[in-house]
Amino acid sequence: MEQEVFKDMLRKKGLKVTNQRMLVLELMAERPGEHLTAEEIYDLARQSCPEIGLATIYRTVQVLVDLSVIDKVSFDDGFARYELGGFNRESGHHHHHAICSRCQKVFSFKGDLLDTLEQALLDTEGFMVTDHEVKLHGYCRECREKMEEDQDGK
Amino acid sequence: MEQEVFKDMLRKKGLKVTNQRMLVLELMAERPGEHLTAEEIYDLARQSCPEIGLATIYRTVQVLVDLSVIDKVSFDDGFARYELGGFNRESGHHHHHAICSRCQKVFSFKGDLLDTLEQALLDTEGFMVTDHEVKLHGYCRECREKMEEDQDGK
DNA sequence: TTGCGTGCAAATGATTTGCAGAGAT
DNA sequence: ATCTCTGCAAATCATTTGCACGCAA
């Protein structure tokens, strides 16, 4: 059970197992692939724990990030966002995001296609890559279809 | 002369050519490859124009970004940063950044190695990429050497 | 018990905005 | 003359922090 693993991670770091921490973990675990803001997590958390404070959410996601349970990502809309396990144990890298410029929807996908680039960087510059972060901007299928319709409509 | 091109770009958009706008352009043009915060640009600008306001800097960089003269980038340290022409007219893409986790220095380089990835995304998901943003995290040569020394020292 | 964790409210700090005067066309 | 731009100060707003109490160990 995931919960026990998490409890051990907390204890191993000398941190306490609290209802709030378990609740936020649960919320995130129920929503793989989603990119939630602190405020969104706060709203979800209040449904089962109305007295929880926003500051606790901020402090808890920081703990979860430190434990590598969730990742902090930004799509430059003014909010930090958090997502479950973007980190792939096999590749040792985080997955990528494609953001639609029209509907702002985010598509996640894995990709080890930077390996050659990273090897070249080590060879030529001596820079050793430990992690990467890729954001693609463009238009998703749905929006491209809508944009064509708008074009035809004229 | 670059200056005239810029003036035409402003006029074409119905914007006015002001000393402040020319000054900020000049500062950025003198520093290719640097990633300046608004505050840093402000400090540089005040050297030749002490009465300039920080708000003007923010408004001016926005204009420059809109004209694609500079790019806004973030290295997640709490500041937006601006750099001259990260956009490559040939590839139609922005260049990439490698950030050292130890000294925070930023290394820029071009790379069209995402082309296959982007083609695959279009084929499988229907997502058409218009631009990409790649941030690599790791350790630069200098820091790696220092880290080895520290290791040896023990 | 002994602190760490929490909730609340206040503080922070980068960025934005309202407004009246200055400057560009 | 007209209307945008600028400088200043105040506002904004996500995130952080101080503090007293509550709860995990």
Side-chain angles (χ1 to χ4, degrees):
Chain A
M1 172 143 273
E2 274 294 338
Q3 312 242 337
E4 292 308 317
V5 179
F6 178 55
K7 288 184 184 176
D8 281 343
M9 294 172 84
L10 288 173
R11 292 187 189 115
K12 203 161 293 174
K13 286 245 179 182
L15 301 170
K16 292 182 177 173
V17 175
T18 66
N19 293 330
Q20 291 88 336
R21 283 172 180 166
M22 295 311 292
L23 172 58
V24 172
L25 171 72
E26 210 170 317
L27 291 176
M28 298 303 293
E30 283 168 357
R31 292 166 179 77
E34 291 190 41
H35 311 89
L36 303 169
T37 64
E39 204 82 33
E40 286 167 346
I41 298 171
Y42 179 48
D43 289 341
L44 290 169
R46 268 192 299 183
Q47 290 174 16
S48 34
C49 179
E51 68 278 16
I52 200 168
L54 181 54
T56 299
I57 303 297
Y58 277 104
R59 286 185 280 228
T60 303
V61 291
Q62 187 56 58
V63 168
L64 290 168
V65 167
D66 291 343
L67 294 173
S68 297
V69 171
I70 62 174
D71 293 314
K72 186 177 186 173
V73 294
S74 170
F75 301 131
D76 301 308
D77 57 356
F79 304 90
R81 290 170 183 278
Y82 301 89
E83 71 174 337
L84 191 71
F87 195 75
N88 181 333
R89 277 164 187 72
E90 288 160 47
S91 72
H93 282 145
H94 288 85
H95 63 236
H96 310 327
H97 294 116
I99 306 136
C100 179
S101 300
R102 187 169 176 276
C103 67
Q104 311 305 322
K105 213 172 289 169
V106 177
F107 302 80
S108 301
F109 57 95
K110 44 175 135 51
D112 306 335
L113 292 165
L114 272 70
D115 288 351
T116 44
L117 174 63
E118 292 173 6
Q119 187 59 51
L121 196 58
L122 181 60
D123 294 342
T124 62
E125 296 283 350
F127 192 102
M128 167 166 291
V129 174
T130 56
D131 191 17
H132 58 220
E133 199 183 329
V134 177
K135 275 187 270 182
L136 303 175
H137 299 272
Y139 297 95
C140 70
R141 170 175 287 144
E142 206 175 323
C143 283
R144 289 205 296 134
E145 286 168 1
K146 282 183 189 155
M147 287 160 79
E148 274 180 33
E149 282 170 32
D150 290 352
Q151 199 83 25
D152 298 343
K154 273 190 184 166
Chain B
M1 167 140 280
E2 274 295 337
Q3 313 242 335
E4 292 308 318
V5 180
F6 177 56
K7 288 183 184 176
D8 281 342
M9 293 173 85
L10 287 173
R11 293 188 189 110
K12 203 161 295 175
K13 287 244 179 181
L15 302 170
K16 291 183 176 171
V17 176
T18 65
N19 293 331
Q20 292 88 335
R21 283 172 180 167
M22 295 312 290
L23 173 57
V24 172
L25 171 71
E26 212 170 314
L27 291 177
M28 297 303 292
E30 283 168 358
R31 292 167 179 78
E34 291 190 41
H35 311 90
L36 303 169
T37 64
E39 205 81 32
E40 286 167 346
I41 297 170
Y42 179 48
D43 289 339
L44 290 168
R46 269 192 299 183
Q47 289 175 16
S48 33
C49 179
E51 67 278 17
I52 200 168
L54 181 54
T56 299
I57 303 297
Y58 277 104
R59 285 184 281 229
T60 303
V61 291
Q62 187 56 57
V63 168
L64 291 169
V65 167
D66 291 343
L67 294 173
S68 297
V69 171
I70 62 174
D71 293 314
K72 185 177 187 174
V73 292
S74 170
F75 300 131
D76 301 309
D77 56 356
F79 305 91
R81 290 168 183 279
Y82 302 89
E83 71 174 337
L84 190 72
F87 196 75
N88 182 333
R89 276 164 187 72
E90 288 160 47
S91 72
H93 282 147
H94 287 86
H95 64 236
H96 309 326
H97 295 115
I99 307 136
C100 179
S101 300
R102 187 170 177 275
C103 67
Q104 312 303 322
K105 214 172 288 168
V106 178
F107 302 79
S108 302
F109 58 95
K110 41 175 136 60
D112 307 336
L113 293 166
L114 274 69
D115 289 352
T116 44
L117 174 64
E118 292 172 6
Q119 187 59 50
L121 198 58
L122 181 60
D123 294 342
T124 62
E125 296 282 348
F127 192 102
M128 169 166 289
V129 174
T130 56
D131 191 17
H132 58 220
E133 197 182 333
V134 177
K135 275 187 270 183
L136 303 176
H137 299 271
Y139 297 96
C140 70
R141 171 175 285 146
E142 205 174 323
C143 283
R144 289 205 296 135
E145 286 167 1
K146 281 182 190 158
M147 286 161 78
E148 275 179 33
E149 282 171 32
D150 290 352
Q151 200 83 27
D152 299 343
K154 274 189 184 168

